[in-house]
Amino acid sequence: MRNKLHFRVSRIVTLGAIAFALVASVISYVRTQSDESELMKKALEQLFSTVQRNAEIAAYLDSKELAEEVVDSLSGNDIISGVMLSSINGMVITSSWEDSDAGALRFPLYTPFPAFEQIGEVKIQMNEALLNSRVLKSAFEQMLILVVLIAVISILILVLVLRVLTYPVQSIAASLHRIVPGDENSLRCPKGHEEDEIGNLVNDINKLLESARQTIQQEQYLRNRVENLEKHFRLIFERASAGIFLLDRHFHLNSINQAFKDIAGIALEERRSDKLNIFFPDLFYDVTVVRNLLEEVLKTGKQAACDLRLATLTTGGERWLHCLFSIVKNDDGDSLIEGLVIDVTERTFEMERILFESQHDALTQLLNRRAGEQRLDEMIRNANRSGSQILLMLIDLDGFKIINDSYGHEAGDKVLVEVSRRMQSIIRKEDILIRLGGDEFVIGFPIKDGGIDENEQVVNKLQQQLTTEIVLGDGLPVAIGASIGIALFPRDGTDLGSLMAHADNAMYQMKKQREKPVKKLLSLP
């Protein structure tokens, strides 16, 4: 109650008025005392003037009787507390005189004759008690008037503050409490205050309420939009077919979606007990390559994309992922790596199959002419750099056309497949075996130091394998042979074309001289 606005204003005004009244009373007391003192002095001067003639005669004649009469007449007045009449001849007459002359009024006495010589003096002491009582009475009356005025003014101010300020403000505050943020309600201005400060306050509050309402509506709209976007992106993140993940600066997984778990095959028993702290490169077959790639992305800030092979999982099999890495910043400004992975296992296998089919013969699965020639060119370049030798053999099957014509193309295909298998069983891993087309084959042998005899043995084994009968369906045996033309790099040529021409010529000569042993045909240095 004491903190109410109208009481606070009235209390402040009252205290201020009381302080003012006290100061005014002190000033009034001092001034009243001065004025009363002057009035009493004037009154004393007037009283003295009435007895001045008699006092001068009494002093001139040194008449005690006349002097006493003058003194008694003066001291009988209320405003006089003491009187002393003295002459130059030593006569002194007093009445209620106090020893102290302080504050006493002095009136000189002169001869009644024109000479005007001072013959005595009259001292009059004012009645200080009477003076003080008059001053106090006047001050009290003024103080009483001020107190009444203060009380009246305080009450008037209290009523005015209540009616002009407190009640309108209370009405505004009550209306404001009833308004719910965001509603379209507004304050009503109290009657009679449309043009004053309260009216301006109400208008400003209504503007603020309208601004707050619009802000809340905008905030609600943005919140709903953000919630919808969050739902949308959460749905995308959780149900996306592509794996999405986030790595910290040390390449540990921060967050992943379900698709990443499915694609990468992350499982508690497969990795570690704390699967939220998985080191991302550990998921892949070549950890070093992945770690170096991520370090390069973090260093340069550029995107990187590549196909990576997953490490062998407990489920077995080989899986390939196409990975896209890029840099993002978190709220603290730290660089993180976000990634997107797609399972490209089937695509990889399909590409490998397509690549294999583009480089290999569909029937025998040997290198075809184009891929084989590329491999031979590379072998020749390596031999040229190292100064080593290469043995090139051009093989043409004998009697194949008869089998193909007599027993059909299916039988001919079986013969080609069996011949390819036999040749593959003889050659080494580093050797190159090519089907040029039809029944023609090419073998490239890198010759090791002192390996001429070993290569002759390979040729002899090849001749033996190719002259061994081949059993077709229903146990039907067929016999074939082979004409082999040999060329030696760099003796017979320094490029594939010249070597092939030399081998082709040697093979043609062999067909004409079938009776000569294979060893004589080699004629190697």
Side-chain angles (χ1 to χ4, degrees), residues 288-301:
T288 303
V289 170
V290 179
R291 184 173 60 246
N292 293 339
L293 178 63
L294 293 175
E295 289 175 351
E296 184 68 17
V297 170
L298 197 59
K299 179 180 179 181
T300 62

Side-chain angles (χ1 to χ4, degrees), residues 5-6 9-10 155-172 189-202:
L5 181 61
H6 53 281
V9 173
S10 298
I155 294 172
L156 288 175
I157 289 175
L158 179 63
V159 173
L160 288 174
V161 169
L162 278 172
R163 295 184 60 84
V164 176
L165 186 60
T166 303
Y167 289 158
V169 170
Q170 287 179 343
S171 175
I172 294 171
C189 182
K191 189 178 295 184
H193 294 280
E194 291 81 2
E195 302 297 332
D196 60 12
E197 288 80 359
I198 292 179
N200 294 335
L201 176 63
V202 171

Side-chain angles (χ1 to χ4, degrees), residues 204-386:
D204 291 340
I205 291 176
N206 285 334
K207 291 179 181 178
L208 183 61
L209 289 174
E210 177 63 21
S211 177
R213 183 180 65 82
Q214 293 178 359
T215 301
I216 291 174
Q217 289 178 349
Q218 182 71 12
E219 216 172 275
Q220 289 175 343
Y221 168 76
L222 293 176
R223 187 182 298 113
N224 292 334
R225 187 175 179 184
V226 168
E227 289 177 355
N228 291 333
L229 288 174
E230 286 180 351
K231 292 179 182 178
H232 180 69
F233 287 118
R234 185 165 57 250
L235 184 65
I236 292 176
F237 181 78
E238 294 176 352
R239 300 188 182 180
S241 59
I244 303 172
F245 60 90
L246 191 66
L247 305 178
D248 61 18
R249 292 183 60 86
H250 303 292
F251 312 141
H252 289 88
L253 286 169
N254 271 354
S255 58
I256 56 177
N257 66 347
Q258 185 60 44
F260 183 84
K261 295 179 184 178
D262 297 337
I263 293 173
I266 294 176
L268 196 61
E269 63 273 17
E270 290 179 356
R271 294 300 168 197
R272 58 190 68 180
S273 58
D274 184 11
K275 68 177 182 178
L276 295 179
N277 195 31
I278 293 176
F279 186 57
F280 182 78
D282 284 347
L283 299 176
F284 295 89
Y285 183 79
D286 196 331
V287 177
T288 303
V289 170
V290 179
R291 184 173 60 246
N292 293 339
L293 178 63
L294 293 175
E295 289 175 351
E296 184 68 17
V297 170
L298 197 59
K299 179 180 179 181
T300 62
K302 297 180 179 179
Q303 286 187 344
C306 61
D307 290 344
L308 298 173
R309 179 185 171 185
L310 279 173
T312 303
L313 305 179
T314 57
T315 54
E318 181 180 323
R319 300 184 73 179
W320 287 82
L321 303 182
H322 180 73
C323 304
L324 175 64
F325 304 103
S326 58
I327 292 293
V328 294
K329 298 284 188 179
N330 61 10
D331 295 337
D332 298 328
D334 298 329
S335 295
L336 304 177
I337 298 178
E338 66 173 356
L340 184 73
V341 296
I342 301 174
D343 191 340
V344 293
T345 303
E346 293 184 3
R347 188 193 73 180
T348 302
F349 289 162
E350 181 66 17
M351 291 179 63
E352 289 179 353
R353 184 186 65 80
I354 294 173
L355 180 62
F356 183 85
E357 290 179 354
S358 67
Q359 295 180 344
H360 293 77
D361 176 59
L363 177 63
T364 63
Q365 304 299 308
L366 301 179
L367 289 173
N368 58 24
R369 186 187 193 101
R370 182 179 61 83
E373 289 180 349
Q374 292 176 352
R375 297 279 293 276
L376 288 173
D377 283 333
E378 183 178 358
M379 181 184 286
I380 292 171
R381 287 194 296 272
N382 293 334
N384 189 40
R385 285 194 295 268
S386 62

Side-chain angles (χ1 to χ4, degrees), residues 43 61 79 84 140 235 372 384 388 403 406 409 436-437 460 484 524:
L61 297 176
I79 64 174
M84 175 185 289
F140 177 76
L235 184 65
N384 189 40
S388 58
I403 296 173
S406 301
H409 292 289
L436 291 181
N460 290 329
I484 302 176
L524 299 177

Side-chain angles (χ1 to χ4, degrees), residues 14-32:
T14 302
L15 292 176
I18 291 173
F20 173 76
L22 291 175
V23 174
S25 297
V26 172
I27 295 173
S28 175
Y29 178 82
V30 173
R31 292 192 63 182
T32 301

Side-chain angles (χ1 to χ4, degrees), residues 32-243:
T32 301
Q33 189 179 36
S34 177
D35 292 343
E36 289 293 333
S37 178
E38 292 297 324
L39 288 175
M40 290 186 71
K41 286 180 181 180
K42 289 181 180 181
L44 289 176
E45 288 176 357
Q46 291 176 355
L47 287 174
F48 173 74
S49 65
T50 59
V51 297
Q52 181 179 4
R53 193 68 177 169
N54 293 333
E56 289 177 344
I57 293 173
Y60 182 76
L61 297 176
D62 287 330
S63 173
K64 292 184 179 180
E65 292 81 5
L66 184 59
E68 289 177 353
E69 183 179 350
V70 171
V71 170
D72 291 339
S73 64
L74 289 174
S75 60
N77 198 290
D78 293 339
I79 64 174
I80 296 175
S81 62
V83 180
M84 175 185 289
L85 191 153
S86 62
S87 66
I88 58 174
N89 295 320
M91 181 187 66
V92 177
I93 304 299
T94 62
S95 175
S96 304
W97 181 260
E98 296 180 1
D99 293 339
S100 176
D101 290 343
L105 297 179
R106 297 174 181 270
F107 298 99
L109 297 176
Y110 298 97
T111 60
F113 304 105
F116 296 110
E117 294 178 359
Q118 184 173 352
I119 56 176
E121 183 182 43
V122 175
K123 298 178 182 178
I124 301 175
Q125 292 177 335
M126 289 188 298
N127 191 346
E128 295 291 341
L130 178 63
L131 176 63
N132 291 333
S133 66
R134 288 182 178 179
V135 172
L136 287 175
K137 181 180 179 181
S138 177
F140 177 76
E141 290 175 351
Q142 292 182 5
M143 186 70 176
L144 182 62
I145 293 171
L146 286 174
V147 169
V148 173
L149 287 175
I150 288 171
V152 172
I153 291 172
S154 298
I155 294 172
L156 288 175
I157 289 175
L158 179 63
V159 173
L160 288 174
V161 169
L162 278 172
R163 295 184 60 84
V164 176
L165 186 60
T166 303
Y167 289 158
V169 170
Q170 287 179 343
S171 175
I172 294 171
S175 300
L176 191 60
H177 290 161
R178 290 192 295 270
I179 293 178
V180 178
D183 288 350
E184 295 184 358
N185 297 330
S186 60
L187 298 178
R188 291 184 179 179
C189 182
K191 189 178 295 184
H193 294 280
E194 291 81 2
E195 302 297 332
D196 60 12
E197 288 80 359
I198 292 179
N200 294 335
L201 176 63
V202 171
N203 292 333
D204 291 340
I205 291 176
N206 285 334
K207 291 179 181 178
L208 183 61
L209 289 174
E210 177 63 21
S211 177
R213 183 180 65 82
Q214 293 178 359
T215 301
I216 291 174
Q217 289 178 349
Q218 182 71 12
E219 216 172 275
Q220 289 175 343
Y221 168 76
L222 293 176
R223 187 182 298 113
N224 292 334
R225 187 175 179 184
V226 168
E227 289 177 355
N228 291 333
L229 288 174
E230 286 180 351
K231 292 179 182 178
H232 180 69
F233 287 118
R234 185 165 57 250
L235 184 65
I236 292 176
F237 181 78
E238 294 176 352
R239 300 188 182 180
S241 59

